[in-house]
């Protein structure tokens, strides 16, 4: 039987040194319940995290202010044991009001091992349309580690624009409560600038550990370009305009008939 722990965590020393004791990851999509969509779709996400290391990790659910700590009576689903797989965020994790806006997850190594075992954590998210589950097993959504957050212009390539598909850009800010971005859309073949938008990500103030990223989305880029009837390939640039920004972004391209989702991610 798992032993429940009482954990006292202080953050001041880590902030002074510039170091963080946490493994921080962005979960860009997390639906606790099914969500109805266009054309009869019923969307659901499946989440999993596996600990392949020999030490436990605490899935942090205590979110203190910058210069304080918190005492956490650890529940069973908040400790990820060696060789354990969990398929949901802990019950006490701050409830997601918008699963499409994502979640930020903090994992604290527990134990005396000096090794960095964070590379032995594995993640998986898959989003699927339950109304068409007989023909489509879903689409993988990347879980983004901190090393993949961007601080300069991000490029999304081979973005298909076609009247049979709808396009949606989602943007996640990891450091700031409010940040400005420039989103530029180019004809990939000619490099002609087709559209430029100013986008603001925002989230309520949350203290040192932010369970919600700053978030913004742009739906239906195609109508804003005036080229909905002409299939073409686009290149999309996302440039941060606010100092201190660390962000990530992706595009989904969804077929209006089959509801099959294709993701365009930065690589």
């Amino acid at each position: 039987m798992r032993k429940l722990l009482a954990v006292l965590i202080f953050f001041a020393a880590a902030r002074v040194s510039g170091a963080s004791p946490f493994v921080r990851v962005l979960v860009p999509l997390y639906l606790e319940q099914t969500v109805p969509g266009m054309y009869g779709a019923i969307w659901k996400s499946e989440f999993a995290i596996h600990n392949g290391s020999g030490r436990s990790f605490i899935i942090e659910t205590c979110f203190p202010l910058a210069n304080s700590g918190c005492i956490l009576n650890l529940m069973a689903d908040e400790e990820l044991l060696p060789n354990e797989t969990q398929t949901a965020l802990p019950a006490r994790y701050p409830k997601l009001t918008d699963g499409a806006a994502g979640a930020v997850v903090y994992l604290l190594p527990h134990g005396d091992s000096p090794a960095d075992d964070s590379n032995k954590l594995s993640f998986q998210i898959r989003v699927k349309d339950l109304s068409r589950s007989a023909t489509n097993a879903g689409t993988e959504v990347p879980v983004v580690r901190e090393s993949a957050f961007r601080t300069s212009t991000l490029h999304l390539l081979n973005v298909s624009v076609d009247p049979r598909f709808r396009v949606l850009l989602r943007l996640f800010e990891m450091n700031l409560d409010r940040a400005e971005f420039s989103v530029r859309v180019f004809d990939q073949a000619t490099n002609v600038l087709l559209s430029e938008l100013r986008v603001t990500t925002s989230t309520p103030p949350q203290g040192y550990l932010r369970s919600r990223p700053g978030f913004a989305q742009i739906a239906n880029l195609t109508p804003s370009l005036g080229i909905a009837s002409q299939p073409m390939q686009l290149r999309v640039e996302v440039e941060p305009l606010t100092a201190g920004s660390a962000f990530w972004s992706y595009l989904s391209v969804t077929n209006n008939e089959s509801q099959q989702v294709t993701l365009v991610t930065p690589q």
Side-chain angles (χ1 to χ4, degrees):
M1 181 177 179
R2 184 186 311 219
K3 181 180 179 182
L4 302 186
L5 305 175
V7 182
L8 177 62
I9 303 172
F10 291 98
F11 299 96
R15 287 179 66 83
V16 169
S17 66
S20 171
F22 294 101
V23 177
R24 182 172 64 146
V25 299
L26 168 66
V27 178
L29 182 70
Y30 187 85
L31 304 176
E32 293 187 317
Q33 307 292 334
T34 58
V35 175
M38 297 178 65
Y39 305 102
I42 303 173
W43 296 106
K44 180 184 179 181
S45 68
E46 296 177 345
F47 171 78
I49 177 173
H50 177 77
N51 182 6
S53 76
R55 69 194 301 182
S56 294
F57 282 81
I58 297 169
I59 304 174
E60 187 59 62
T61 60
C62 179
F63 298 98
L65 298 176
N67 295 314
S68 65
C70 59
I71 298 176
L72 177 64
N73 294 314
L74 199 65
M75 305 300 289
D77 62 356
E78 293 163 4
E79 184 181 11
L80 185 65
L81 297 175
N83 206 37
E84 181 183 15
T85 301
Q86 292 189 20
T87 57
L89 292 177
R92 293 197 301 184
Y93 199 86
K95 295 301 181 183
L96 299 167
T97 57
D98 181 0
V104 186
V105 178
Y106 300 83
L107 297 112
L108 179 68
H110 180 66
D112 298 328
S113 172
D116 179 5
D117 293 325
S118 61
N119 62 337
K120 297 178 181 178
L121 293 170
S122 300
F123 303 89
Q124 173 71 208
I125 306 175
R126 186 176 295 115
V127 62
K128 61 173 61 176
D129 174 12
L130 296 182
S131 72
R132 295 166 174 83
S133 59
T135 58
N136 193 332
T139 299
E140 182 182 45
V141 180
V143 174
V144 188
R145 298 174 186 263
E146 188 157 8
S147 59
F149 299 164
R150 301 302 183 91
T151 57
S152 59
T153 301
L154 173 152
H155 299 265
L156 298 167
L157 309 178
N158 288 340
V159 180
S160 298
V161 172
D162 187 297
R164 297 167 296 179
F165 296 82
R166 56 190 188 273
V167 179
L168 177 67
L169 180 140
R170 289 189 171 118
L171 177 57
F172 306 87
E173 168 56 43
M174 302 304 297
N175 286 348
L176 306 174
D177 292 340
R178 184 180 178 87
E180 299 287 332
F181 295 85
S182 176
V183 177
R184 294 183 290 271
V185 182
F186 295 86
D187 181 330
Q188 186 167 272
T190 65
N191 210 37
V192 171
L193 178 64
L194 302 173
S195 178
E196 184 168 7
L197 303 170
R198 182 69 62 93
V199 179
T200 302
T201 58
S202 62
T203 186
Q206 300 174 68
Y208 176 44
L209 298 189
R210 303 165 74 246
S211 62
R212 301 289 175 269
F215 177 71
Q217 66 180 19
I218 303 173
N220 299 321
L221 285 174
T222 303
S224 68
L225 302 177
I227 55 171
S229 62
Q230 298 295 323
M232 64 188 305
Q233 297 288 96
L234 305 179
R235 174 172 60 86
V236 178
E237 291 183 354
V238 182
E239 180 186 5
L241 303 177
T242 306
S245 173
F247 72 101
W248 194 78
S249 182
Y250 76 95
L251 273 159
S252 61
V253 183
T254 307
N255 184 271
N256 291 328
E257 182 176 349
S258 69
Q259 301 303 302
Q260 180 172 337
V261 179
T262 300
L263 295 187
V264 182
T265 62
Q267 299 183 52

